[in-house]
Amino acid sequence: MDKSKRYYVTTPIYYVNDVPHIGHAYTTLACDVLARFKRLDGFDVKFLTGTDEHGQKVEKSANDKGVDPQTFTDTVSQNFRDLLGTMNFSADDFIRTTEERHKISVQALWKRLIDAGEIYLGSYSGWYAVRDEAFYGEGELVKDKDGNKVAPSGAPVEWVEEPSYFFKLSAWQDKLLKFYDDNPDFIAPKSRRNEVTSFVSGGLNDLSVSRTTFKWGIPVPGDDAHIMYVWLDALTNYITAVGFPETETGEYATYWPADLHMVGKDILRFHAVYWPAFLMAAGLQPPKRVFAHGWWTNEGQKISKSLGNVIDPIELVSTYGLDQVRYFLLREVPFGNDGDFSRSAMVGRMNSELANDLGNLAQRVLSMVNKNCDGSVPKHGEFNPDDNTMLASAHTMIDGVKKHIDNQSFNDALEVIWLVIRASNAYVDAQAPWKLKKEDPARMETVLYVLVETIRHIALMLQPFMPDTMGKMLDQLAISHEHRSFRFLGSAHALVSGTALPTPEGVFPRFVAEEEKGA
RNA sequence: GGCUGGGUAGCUCAGCUGGUUAGAGCGCGGCACUCAUAAUGCCGAGGUCGGCAGUUCAAGUCUGCCUCCAGCUACCA
């Protein structure tokens, strides 16, 4: 197996206590585009997502509902699985931490860490907030209005003193710093990398990795009183899904180390510090890269449940259309930055870029072809310098796109494609095929040929972002499903003159607000 | 308090190792065209590149100080 031609990308596993929102959709969307892109580029891809189902909070939620935790998680995990269909995500595997394969995997990892002397039994005491699933130092606590000590988040805390296993994280400080140094692209974007290295440079404490205060989790092998700390459990999903503890054959041998863990910026530390430390301590390879993306605000406001302005992906898709939403989320903001979702920005992008620039380009060209070329791919004569410039920009587009995709710079990748789209519209106007129709029909056909061939390239390149719509556009060019990978880019696989084309139909309608309709 | 990143046209942002008239998209104004989803193309307005000082033949681009914003981190009577 050629390891350079395989690609393993993961989303975080989503905490089942949450209801799927735009943040989940955004993270998985980014991975979906990467996975689709790599598949089209000839890679053997594994794209993993799933749900994190253990922990005290889940146990509590289930109790509150009067059901056992397994029944509870079966129900809520499904919400995240449904999101795949809603957003047209092409995940290859959906892992749940309550699965048997995962229990085996986590316990095997634990044993490796024990055997390596990286875990020891001690005792833990501190202020614990169930709601945050985190310990706080005395100094971090604040007083609420009744004078009770609470976490900085406002969550109630309790003094907990219990035996606990510890991972010797403190011993990994130098090795982690060397690892970051040797792998400058491990953490992205750059600003996040700085944050992590400065955090690690500040010193690391050993990490409590077990609890005795609840039961809903994976037991420590040989010491059932202890349940493994949720992050050790959760992070291990990335290797469970490739068949760990089997490491010599099968998917682990093929796909590990993962090419990319996509995460929100809130969980970067777990992925960029704890996870590589766990893996190296167990004698396993850390992942190649962790990318921390930003958050969305809603019309300039921070999104929160209490404000009631949570953005529901299902609603977005039904209002604006699936591919329009997929496009907007990756086009509007440089990936890694925070972004703002606003109705006007959404409509602006979908109308000016999708309907006007791209949709109308396809429509104006295809309808001329339909009316003037017998509804089939036009014949072409010699290409003049203008034609060659146009075609060359279509042919070389992939280079820029690929470069940006490998940096997860989705908006830049789209910009590269849009330069070609704008150039195509300018080319149409400059060549004025509607004039050539009367003056030089053969030349008109050549111009239209250049255009359909350019549109073919644009549609092929945009498939990862907008799979449905680009599928329709390729249908309109009568390109079979077997001819839609990036292998077919370039003049060697150009459209064949005379091929019958279906009647064109617009694929990106303009968005007209309800109140404007019928006005 | 410390660290990091950032303050560039109305808005969102590009500007690599310092070098001729500082760029794009959107928005705005005008012109052209009529194939097309009242779409497209072209032209234009406009910014003392956060402030002050310095280095240099030359600074948005380097240095120092100041200021504002964001993130991370530490600490506190």
Side-chain angles (χ1 to χ4, degrees):
Chain A
M1 162 66 56
D2 176 8
K3 272 218 164 195
S4 69
K5 268 298 207 183
R6 61 105 189 111
Y7 191 79
Y8 180 27
V9 58
T10 70
T11 76
I13 46 176
Y14 300 118
Y15 202 54
V16 287
N17 251 20
D18 295 333
V19 176
H21 55 70
I22 192 174
H24 302 109
Y26 185 51
T27 312
T28 314
L29 170 62
C31 295
D32 185 59
V33 170
L34 293 171
R36 287 175 184 274
F37 188 93
K38 290 294 179 181
R39 288 191 199 106
L40 289 167
D41 201 24
F43 283 70
D44 171 10
V45 171
K46 184 175 174 77
F47 167 21
L48 173 72
T49 187
T51 46
D52 177 13
E53 311 189 2
H54 287 139
Q56 195 167 2
K57 247 198 299 191
V58 173
E59 189 176 55
K60 202 163 192 289
S61 295
N63 283 342
D64 293 348
K65 290 207 159 57
V67 295
D68 66 279
Q70 187 64 55
T71 308
F72 174 73
T73 56
D74 286 349
T75 307
V76 287
S77 175
Q78 187 60 38
N79 295 333
F80 286 93
R81 201 181 283 264
D82 292 344
L83 187 64
L84 302 182
T86 304
M87 297 295 297
N88 197 6
F89 292 150
S90 62
D92 297 299
D93 194 356
F94 187 99
I95 190 169
R96 300 181 53 191
T97 54
T98 49
E99 292 174 77
E100 187 64 17
R101 60 171 169 161
H102 184 62
K103 181 178 170 184
I104 292 166
S105 167
V106 175
Q107 292 189 330
L109 181 64
W110 180 279
K111 282 179 199 145
R112 274 186 180 244
L113 292 170
I114 287 279
D115 291 346
E118 297 285 347
I119 288 179
Y120 63 92
L121 182 61
S123 81
Y124 196 96
S125 57
W127 293 101
Y128 185 70
V130 174
R131 209 167 85 195
D132 301 343
E133 292 195 341
F135 279 89
Y136 294 99
E138 185 72 40
E140 288 179 277
L141 299 180
V142 296
K143 295 212 167 143
D144 69 8
K145 57 184 187 298
D146 302 320
N148 298 314
K149 286 179 176 174
V150 296
S153 62
V157 293
E158 53 189 317
W159 181 255
V160 175
E161 195 158 356
E162 55 174 291
S164 170
Y165 287 94
F166 284 83
F167 172 72
K168 291 182 184 169
L169 185 62
S170 58
W172 286 89
Q173 179 176 355
D174 293 342
K175 289 169 208 158
L176 282 167
L177 290 172
K178 180 172 189 318
F179 175 69
Y180 303 145
D181 210 44
D182 293 343
N183 300 277
D185 296 325
F186 176 63
I187 300 165
K190 278 261 160 47
S191 55
R192 299 291 164 197
R193 176 188 150 79
N194 292 339
E195 287 176 10
V196 171
T197 54
S198 84
F199 171 75
V200 173
S201 301
L204 297 169
N205 296 321
D206 287 352
L207 195 65
S208 171
V209 289
S210 76
R211 294 283 182 276
T212 55
T213 48
F214 66 99
K215 284 284 153 211
W216 184 240
I218 297 174
V220 167
D223 193 351
D224 284 0
H226 288 262
I227 298 298
M228 286 185 221
Y229 175 55
V230 290
W231 276 103
L232 180 61
D233 172 349
L235 289 163
T236 304
N237 91 87
Y238 301 127
I239 54 175
T240 299
V242 289
F244 186 81
E246 176 52 60
T247 58
E248 297 308 313
T249 59
E251 289 204 338
Y252 187 98
T254 305
Y255 293 115
W256 196 260
D259 292 85
L260 179 68
H261 290 324
M262 184 68 73
V263 300
K265 60 186 182 181
D266 56 326
I267 55 173
L268 176 62
R269 184 187 300 174
F270 302 103
H271 286 80
V273 181
Y274 302 167
W275 182 225
F278 290 157
L279 287 166
M280 289 192 282
L284 302 170
Q285 279 190 277
K288 291 186 192 162
R289 183 168 166 97
V290 177
F291 193 108
H293 68 243
W295 298 131
W296 286 92
T297 52
N298 185 356
E299 306 286 349
Q301 282 217 302
K302 197 174 167 183
I303 295 177
S304 76
K305 280 183 206 162
S306 53
L307 281 173
N309 63 347
V310 175
I311 299 176
D312 175 8
I314 297 174
E315 158 127 32
L316 277 191
V317 167
S318 72
T319 304
Y320 301 106
L322 171 59
D323 281 349
Q324 285 86 344
V325 171
R326 288 175 60 112
Y327 176 77
F328 177 83
L329 292 177
L330 294 179
R331 179 67 171 110
E332 178 70 2
V333 180
F335 199 66
N337 293 6
D338 286 350
D340 181 48
F341 181 89
S342 78
R343 186 189 148 78
S344 67
M346 175 77 226
V347 172
R349 292 274 181 198
M350 73 183 274
N351 283 352
S352 83
E353 292 173 8
L354 293 179
N356 297 353
D357 290 348
L358 174 57
N360 183 59
L361 170 68
Q363 187 64 14
R364 68 195 300 209
V365 169
L366 290 172
S367 72
M368 278 188 276
V369 168
N370 184 54
K371 288 175 192 161
N372 306 309
C373 309
D374 279 340
S376 60
V377 175
K379 300 185 199 54
H380 65 83
E382 285 288 302
F383 294 133
N384 72 20
D386 289 346
D387 304 342
N388 283 323
T389 301
M390 186 71 255
L391 288 170
S393 76
H395 294 158
T396 56
M397 178 169 45
I398 176 94
D399 302 330
V401 174
K402 206 182 264 191
K403 192 183 77 194
H404 289 125
I405 285 288
D406 283 334
N407 288 322
Q408 292 80 46
S409 299
F410 300 102
N411 66 317
D412 290 329
L414 287 166
E415 179 61 22
V416 167
I417 301 170
W418 248 258
L419 286 176
V420 177
I421 292 171
R422 292 194 199 102
S424 302
N425 274 317
Y427 173 85
V428 178
D429 278 41
Q431 302 298 324
W434 50 92
K435 269 188 197 157
L436 295 171
K437 179 180 169 182
K438 300 164 203 155
E439 301 162 4
D440 188 351
R443 174 65 195 155
M444 175 199 73
E445 291 221 25
T446 299
V447 166
L448 291 177
Y449 182 87
V450 168
L451 284 163
V452 287
E453 182 59 8
T454 300
I455 291 169
R456 180 177 77 94
H457 281 76
I458 292 166
L460 288 174
M461 290 309 308
L462 283 172
Q463 289 178 97
F465 297 90
M466 301 183 283
D468 284 354
T469 329
M470 290 307 106
K472 284 182 196 160
M473 202 172 273
L474 291 167
D475 288 345
Q476 297 193 12
L477 294 171
I479 293 164
S480 73
H481 288 265
E482 297 75 50
H483 290 74
R484 295 182 179 186
S485 74
F486 297 158
R487 206 154 62 76
F488 295 95
L489 292 166
S491 52
H493 302 279
L495 288 162
V496 176
S497 301
T499 307
L501 299 176
T503 306
E505 208 177 314
V507 290
F508 290 117
R510 287 178 64 80
F511 182 87
V512 181
E514 283 305 320
E515 57 267 28
E516 291 170 30
K517 284 183 184 168

